[in-house]
Amino acid sequence: MGDRDATIRSAEEWVRFVFDRPVCTEPYEAWLQEQALNGWSAADRPVEAIAYLTSCCAQAARLLSPYRDDQLASGFSYVLAFDISDYQSSLLDEQVSLDDAVQCISSMTAVFAALLDVRLRDASLCDATHTGLALTCVRWWIWLARVDGMAHVYGSRRREVLATAAIEAQSLILRGSRSEFCAASALWGLRQWGMVGSRRAMAEPVVQKFLTRRDRLGRALRQLAAECLEGPVSL
């Protein structure tokens, strides 16, 4: 495995590197050790990192379906690490074209459509554990909100374009999700964006449209959406 990791040359090899591993309780630390030993680092290869992540998401039905829920959750906890993910900074790296960065964010909806929406269709909003794939749902939106925060701190010129792409991705999940939990995760993410003054005007109209356009909303989801317009919420 070590030699293979050192010579990642395709999305397929990257997917195996991330997901085809024993599940561990501290996956990010484990992957950091692998990177140090085998020479792969998203920080050093931002263009390839974003290209592989985009392909992984866009082709989720083909590339990710063979993996168990716990393998997917473990692998995504590496890519979507909240505070120290090199993939976040790669989206802001000027070596990565703005079009490619936007495409990466847009491709994330395919993971929901092909995998999360299916595997979490029966997940309950009342489930307080929110581990595994359920936590992965929430990680996407926290991760993207952190990208926006990093762009603000760095003074990145691409901040507004990436923010628009992120809000649109969450809007697409709300409009098309068959899983109540996936829709709820997007609502929760939009609430986090709405807590930032400059983003409130972007996030709230999406929630308002969701409330008016979804005729068959369950009581719990409708209540959650309404609460999103009033103040902070927690899943």
Side-chain angles (χ1 to χ4, degrees):
M1 180 177 289
D3 292 340
R4 181 194 69 191
D5 293 346
T7 57
I8 295 175
R9 292 292 183 268
S10 69
E12 287 80 2
E13 291 180 354
W14 182 85
V15 167
R16 289 196 296 272
F17 170 65
V18 174
F19 298 101
D20 190 12
R21 297 179 176 278
V23 175
C24 56
T25 57
E26 296 182 344
Y28 197 81
E29 287 71 16
W31 270 279
L32 287 179
Q33 293 177 6
E34 288 288 345
Q35 289 180 170
L37 290 172
N38 298 295
W40 164 258
S41 170
D44 294 335
R45 296 166 63 182
V47 174
E48 292 94 330
I50 294 304
Y52 297 154
L53 177 57
T54 301
S55 294
C56 169
C57 293
Q59 303 178 59
R62 178 176 69 87
L63 294 176
L64 299 182
S65 292
Y67 295 101
R68 304 186 311 270
D69 288 3
D70 58 347
Q71 289 177 299
L72 292 172
S74 180
F76 278 127
S77 69
Y78 155 64
V79 177
L80 305 174
F82 292 152
D83 295 318
I84 51 178
S85 172
D86 290 334
Y87 295 86
Q88 288 172 317
S89 56
S90 292
L91 279 175
L92 301 176
D93 196 302
E94 294 293 337
Q95 296 178 73
V96 178
S97 75
L98 182 56
D99 286 345
D100 286 347
V102 169
Q103 184 179 1
C104 182
I105 292 175
S106 299
S107 73
M108 295 174 184
T109 59
V111 176
F112 281 80
L115 283 175
L116 299 177
D117 205 44
V118 176
R119 299 196 187 191
L120 293 172
R121 186 170 300 180
D122 297 324
S124 170
L125 299 187
C126 300
D127 184 0
T129 57
H130 300 321
T131 57
L133 281 186
L135 180 58
T136 297
C137 266
V138 178
R139 279 182 183 272
W140 286 108
W141 315 127
I142 296 177
W143 191 82
L144 286 173
R146 293 287 174 86
V147 170
D148 188 59
M150 290 168 62
H152 173 66
V153 171
Y154 297 160
S156 175
R157 295 172 295 177
R158 56 180 60 190
R159 184 189 180 198
E160 295 303 319
V161 177
L162 296 185
T164 299
I167 295 292
E168 176 60 21
Q170 291 168 90
S171 176
L172 287 172
I173 297 303
L174 285 180
R175 295 201 300 266
S177 180
R178 293 163 292 176
S179 163
E180 195 173 58
F181 191 90
C182 287
S185 76
L187 285 171
W188 184 85
L190 287 165
R191 178 65 270 169
Q192 309 314 302
W193 285 79
M195 292 300 292
V196 181
S198 62
R199 297 292 177 237
R200 193 177 188 89
M202 299 173 66
E204 287 195 346
V206 175
V207 179
Q208 291 168 343
K209 288 181 180 179
F210 174 71
L211 278 169
T212 59
R213 293 180 178 178
R214 290 290 289 263
D215 297 330
R216 300 179 181 178
L217 284 182
R219 180 178 179 181
L221 195 58
R222 182 173 293 278
Q223 180 178 348
L224 179 59
E227 290 174 353
C228 283
L229 301 176
E230 298 173 357
V233 294
S234 298
L235 282 178

